[in-house]
Amino acid sequence: MDNIRATVLAELQHALSTLQSQPVPAQTLVVALSGGKDSVVLLDILYRIAGSEEDNPYKLPSLYAFHVNHGLSSEADDWMHHCSILCAHRNIPFESATVTLQSKPRISLEAQARELRYTRLLEFTKRKNGVLVTAHHLHDQVETMLLQLKRGAGPKGLGSMQAVSFRNEVPIIRPMLDVSQEAINQYAITSKLSWVEDESNIDERFDRNFLRRQIIPLMEARWPAVSRAISRSAQFCNEQAQLLEQVSKEKLLSLQDAENKLDVALLLDHSELWQKQILREWLRQFFPLSPSSSVLLQIQKMLIAKEGSQPLVGIGEYSVRRFKGKLWCINRFEHLPEHLPIPDTGVTLPVWGKRLNVDVAKDAQWDRGSLSLVTGLPSIKLRPVGKLHSKLFKEWLKEWEVPPWERIQVPLVFYNDSPVAVCLHNQIVALQTPPTVPLLEFSYN
């Protein structure tokens, strides 16, 4: 018991010392309390450390516990009640949240429950200006690395879980990563702790349970030290991934512009291996999941595509495109209808993510109901204010270097039958209009 407590204390103090550079020091430790054996042991150890003058000379931040009720088990409410009693006996502030799961295509209930659990935990931890503390242990780490191997992950994925990490800007500490399941079991029994048993933990249809109940025991029977060896490998992978990420970020800074568009010519100056790594780092700015090898290969082919071509690679809700010697990563937007009246409150332009507002010169006579947004008119002739000649709308769009995939959605503002303005990404271009059109002023917010 003393060994496990000493391990947790040492890891906790080391983790908190690494977080001292944060703008606001942690004021609380929020324990993710499921009610299962692992989290109950963690709660008890932290409670004993916090109450011991010998173990807590540095005065750890105050303790909170938070439980998320997924409702997946018929006993879920009992588990939540059990957690509240555990905390009441130790005088630890306790809060809980109940989440509702819905069947979604291609997303398992377990994955959805995990995501919602973290969302609620992180929200609560941020509200308490705290650090989230989880009960992940040595064998959780082994399971995670084996699952990553099964998925064909690279160094970052094989790095598995870390003693200190961040999610949504909230620090997460895992002080039991070096503690075995056996040590946790022994602590729980010796301390006469009470916990709940989740019946789903014995369902070997789930990969993690299959590894825990079938594969890892066989490995440890043949190689008793294999779990700690796998954990060391995970740490080495994480260190290599951090070094690689650091260098990749430095390289990326010299290759992308202020709008995060990537210079194709500069990227081609690097080897194919570095191209892949830089592309991974670039895409991480837009979504957290690393792209597959096949997606990276498709993007690399875009680098040498003919200048006039319009290659596209789709990644979830995003598209990678090439235009004017740059790679763009674009979130797919909702298209405007071909004709949309502009109400008094203005109108949102999905293609730009901005809101268009319209005002009229003082005392001018005008009909607000005559204003509308119109798309899909590439061949209409226009003459911007200050220009000597009219040209087709599509020719102006080329001159303004609007990317081809956006051109069909660039809206014109019409007053009755007269086009009066063009809504571009970073400006609104006023057009020459007949004298019958009032002087209108346009702005974004």
Side-chain angles (χ1 to χ4, degrees):
M1 282 179 59
D2 290 340
N3 287 341
I4 184 173
R5 194 190 305 180
T7 298
V8 171
L9 176 61
E11 290 295 331
L12 197 61
Q13 289 176 340
H14 178 70
L16 290 172
S17 68
T18 65
L19 295 173
Q20 285 181 347
S21 60
Q22 294 299 300
V24 180
Q27 296 178 3
T28 59
L29 297 179
V30 177
V31 179
L33 184 62
S34 68
K37 184 190 301 178
D38 302 339
S39 65
V40 169
V41 166
L42 174 64
L43 182 77
D44 189 74
I45 290 174
L46 293 181
Y47 163 72
R48 292 175 185 274
I49 289 174
S52 168
E53 291 294 332
E54 179 182 351
D55 282 349
N56 192 16
Y58 301 106
K59 298 299 179 185
L60 296 179
S62 56
L63 280 180
Y64 277 82
F66 193 81
H67 174 85
V68 179
N69 181 350
H70 306 106
L72 288 176
S73 169
S74 59
E75 300 178 37
D77 290 343
D78 293 336
W79 297 348
M80 183 169 62
H81 181 62
H82 182 76
C83 289
S84 68
I85 292 175
L86 288 174
C87 293
H89 286 170
R90 293 166 175 81
N91 200 28
I92 297 173
F94 170 80
E95 290 192 35
S96 61
T98 299
V99 297
T100 302
L101 305 179
Q102 299 176 343
S103 296
K104 295 182 179 180
R106 298 185 298 277
I107 301 178
S108 69
L109 284 178
E110 290 74 23
Q112 190 185 156
R114 183 170 59 252
E115 196 60 35
L116 283 172
R117 178 170 69 250
Y118 265 105
T119 297
R120 296 294 180 269
L121 283 166
L122 296 173
E123 288 173 350
F124 179 80
T125 305
K126 185 175 287 188
R127 196 162 67 245
K128 293 298 181 182
N129 188 27
V131 174
L132 181 62
V133 189
T134 73
H136 294 109
H137 52 76
L138 175 66
H139 287 85
D140 289 325
Q141 181 78 309
V142 173
E143 293 162 13
T144 300
M145 190 172 188
L146 291 176
L147 287 171
Q148 293 290 2
L149 278 170
K150 181 182 76 72
R151 295 168 185 144
K156 187 175 180 65
L158 294 177
S160 305
M161 296 180 288
Q162 299 309 308
V164 180
S165 63
F166 289 84
R167 185 164 175 172
N168 296 348
E169 301 180 347
V170 175
I172 302 175
I173 297 178
R174 300 177 177 90
M176 298 207 303
L177 282 183
D178 285 333
V179 178
S180 69
Q181 183 70 73
E182 291 78 10
I184 291 172
N185 293 344
Q186 183 179 3
Y187 183 99
I189 294 170
T190 304
S191 301
K192 298 181 180 179
L193 301 179
S194 60
W195 60 88
V196 299
E197 294 285 358
D198 186 345
E199 66 275 9
S200 68
N201 286 338
I202 62 173
D203 188 345
E204 293 181 12
R205 291 176 299 175
F206 301 123
D207 289 343
R208 191 173 285 273
N209 292 344
F210 174 69
L211 289 171
R212 180 182 305 141
R213 295 173 60 83
Q214 296 290 337
I215 303 303
I216 295 175
L218 285 175
M219 293 172 64
E220 290 187 326
R222 184 175 182 92
W223 306 297
V226 70
S227 290
R228 296 204 176 275
I230 291 173
S231 182
R232 282 198 306 274
S233 291
Q235 182 59 35
F236 294 152
C237 286
N238 177 66
E239 290 172 0
Q240 294 299 312
Q242 286 190 46
L243 289 172
L244 191 57
E245 184 176 326
Q246 181 179 331
V247 177
S248 300
K249 285 181 176 179
E250 292 171 358
K251 288 181 176 292
L252 180 61
L253 284 175
S254 64
L255 299 183
Q256 68 178 3
D257 61 19
E259 295 181 327
N260 296 332
K261 296 191 286 288
L262 202 56
D263 191 294
V264 170
L266 293 178
L267 184 58
L268 284 170
D269 286 341
H270 293 75
S271 69
E272 289 188 5
L273 290 177
W274 269 117
Q275 287 173 23
K276 287 182 179 179
Q277 187 58 36
I278 292 169
L279 285 169
R280 286 191 188 96
E281 197 62 45
W282 177 61
L283 292 170
R284 194 173 292 135
Q285 301 170 107
F286 305 99
F287 42 87
L289 296 179
S290 183
S292 66
S293 297
S294 61
V295 166
L296 288 175
L297 182 59
Q298 291 178 60
I299 298 175
Q300 283 183 291
K301 289 180 179 178
M302 294 174 65
L303 303 178
I304 54 176
K306 293 182 179 179
E307 187 60 40
S309 64
Q310 298 182 28
L312 177 153
V313 176
I315 314 175
E317 295 300 315
Y318 286 79
S319 298
V320 176
R321 295 181 179 263
R322 174 178 168 171
F323 178 64
K324 291 291 182 181
K326 299 285 183 71
L327 287 185
W328 304 51
C329 188
I330 304 123
N331 195 351
R332 297 177 187 177
F333 50 82
E334 177 187 352
H335 284 204
L336 282 168
E338 290 186 358
H339 185 277
L340 179 67
I342 301 177
D344 293 347
T345 55
V347 64
T348 298
L349 309 179
V351 64
W352 306 135
K354 297 179 179 180
R355 190 162 190 82
L356 175 69
N357 300 305
V358 186
D359 292 305
V360 67
K362 190 176 181 180
D363 300 329
Q365 299 295 316
W366 71 306
D367 178 9
R368 180 85 198 205
S370 298
L371 274 177
S372 61
L373 287 178
V374 179
T375 59
L377 296 177
S379 298
I380 189 173
K381 280 202 166 186
L382 307 173
R383 180 184 165 195
V385 172
K387 299 294 183 179
L388 298 177
H389 305 288
S390 297
K391 285 198 296 190
L392 295 178
F393 186 26
K394 60 184 179 183
E395 294 175 356
W396 285 117
L397 291 174
K398 288 182 181 179
E399 182 174 320
W400 293 328
E401 297 189 348
V402 176
W405 59 88
E406 291 180 354
R407 291 173 189 168
I408 195 65
Q409 275 292 291
V410 174
L412 291 164
V413 181
F414 269 73
Y415 184 81
N416 289 326
D417 296 326
S418 300
V420 296
V422 180
C423 298
L424 298 178
H425 172 66
N426 54 1
Q427 63 175 318
I428 301 170
V429 178
L431 303 175
Q432 294 284 0
T433 58
T436 54
V437 175
L439 181 61
L440 300 172
E441 296 179 358
F442 303 93
S443 61
Y444 285 145
N445 67 6

